[in-house]
Amino acid sequence: MLPMGTIMTVCMFMGVIFGARLWERNPLNKLPRFVQISIAVIVLLAGLWNVLWYGVQHLGEFWGNAALVSGLLLLSTAYFIYRAQNIGKTGSILRPITLLLLSACCYLYGFTIYHL
């Protein structure tokens, strides 16, 4: 069985990859809408688990706070994946910031898991 930290790291990585629309001819942009929605749902569920389950139960602890922050970033990223074409001006400003912070959380989780 995989540890939950590894699953969260993979979900964060998927969120960063699918949330970053770096260029128009990105092969990920050509995936069927069903696949994009499925990825958005997976990222959304991971964010909800991080925020509503682990983060809330462990507030004040380092990993509880990290789960809360990364969960909120996952929720935002799920929205950006779902509404890829119509995120608006505010979304276009917030998406790179959100993805950068989510990348940092993904690195933190991955680095810690690697060194356990």
Side-chain angles (χ1 to χ4, degrees):
M1 184 164 178
L2 286 172
M4 201 61 189
T6 303
I7 294 169
M8 286 296 115
T9 305
V10 169
C11 289
M12 284 185 243
F13 186 70
M14 282 179 13
V16 169
I17 295 298
F18 281 87
R21 301 226 175 237
L22 298 176
W23 59 91
E24 285 299 316
R25 296 182 186 199
N26 184 351
L28 297 176
N29 292 342
K30 296 188 187 329
L31 289 174
R33 183 75 178 136
F34 173 76
V35 174
Q36 294 176 4
I37 291 173
S38 299
I39 296 296
V41 168
I42 290 169
V43 171
L44 175 76
L45 292 174
L48 287 173
W49 188 88
N50 253 6
V51 170
L52 298 177
W53 182 253
Y54 194 84
V56 171
Q57 286 187 355
H58 300 279
L59 276 179
E61 298 174 12
F62 176 76
W63 285 113
N65 295 338
L68 188 63
V69 169
S70 64
L72 291 172
L73 292 169
L74 282 167
L75 293 175
S76 300
T77 303
Y79 173 77
F80 293 139
I81 294 170
Y82 180 74
R83 301 276 305 198
Q85 307 302 331
N86 311 349
I87 58 174
K89 185 174 182 172
T90 306
S92 349
I93 294 169
L94 291 177
R95 182 173 62 187
I97 297 167
T98 302
L99 293 175
L100 181 66
L101 293 172
L102 187 60
S103 297
C105 289
C106 184
Y107 176 77
L108 174 69
Y109 274 60
F111 182 81
T112 305
I113 290 168
Y114 177 77
H115 287 289
L116 287 178

mmCIF file of all heavy atoms in Angstrom, residues 26 34 36 75:
data_model
loop_
_atom_site.group_PDB
_atom_site.id
_atom_site.type_symbol
_atom_site.label_atom_id
_atom_site.label_comp_id
_atom_site.label_asym_id
_atom_site.label_seq_id
_atom_site.Cartn_x
_atom_site.Cartn_y
_atom_site.Cartn_z
ATOM 1 N N ASN A 26 0.667 22.365 -26.716
ATOM 2 C CA ASN A 26 0.939 21.394 -25.665
ATOM 3 C C ASN A 26 0.107 20.136 -25.924
ATOM 4 O O ASN A 26 -1.099 20.216 -26.099
ATOM 5 C CB ASN A 26 0.563 22.012 -24.309
ATOM 6 C CG ASN A 26 0.903 21.131 -23.139
ATOM 7 O OD1 ASN A 26 1.266 19.986 -23.292
ATOM 8 N ND2 ASN A 26 0.760 21.687 -21.954
ATOM 9 N N PHE A 34 -12.992 14.741 -21.353
ATOM 10 C CA PHE A 34 -13.274 13.799 -20.275
ATOM 11 C C PHE A 34 -12.023 13.516 -19.438
ATOM 12 O O PHE A 34 -12.093 13.426 -18.212
ATOM 13 C CB PHE A 34 -13.832 12.490 -20.855
ATOM 14 C CG PHE A 34 -13.982 11.410 -19.840
ATOM 15 C CD1 PHE A 34 -15.034 11.445 -18.943
ATOM 16 C CD2 PHE A 34 -13.069 10.377 -19.749
ATOM 17 C CE1 PHE A 34 -15.185 10.463 -17.986
ATOM 18 C CE2 PHE A 34 -13.205 9.390 -18.793
ATOM 19 C CZ PHE A 34 -14.259 9.424 -17.907
ATOM 20 N N GLN A 36 -9.393 15.541 -19.090
ATOM 21 C CA GLN A 36 -9.089 16.758 -18.334
ATOM 22 C C GLN A 36 -10.001 16.900 -17.121
ATOM 23 O O GLN A 36 -9.544 17.261 -16.033
ATOM 24 C CB GLN A 36 -9.213 17.983 -19.237
ATOM 25 C CG GLN A 36 -8.177 18.017 -20.328
ATOM 26 C CD GLN A 36 -8.371 19.198 -21.268
ATOM 27 O OE1 GLN A 36 -9.232 20.040 -21.063
ATOM 28 N NE2 GLN A 36 -7.561 19.247 -22.315
ATOM 29 N N LEU A 75 -7.051 22.732 -4.600
ATOM 30 C CA LEU A 75 -8.423 23.124 -4.954
ATOM 31 C C LEU A 75 -8.413 24.204 -6.026
ATOM 32 O O LEU A 75 -9.196 24.148 -6.987
ATOM 33 C CB LEU A 75 -9.171 23.607 -3.708
ATOM 34 C CG LEU A 75 -9.448 22.545 -2.639
ATOM 35 C CD1 LEU A 75 -10.084 23.178 -1.411
ATOM 36 C CD2 LEU A 75 -10.321 21.436 -3.184
#
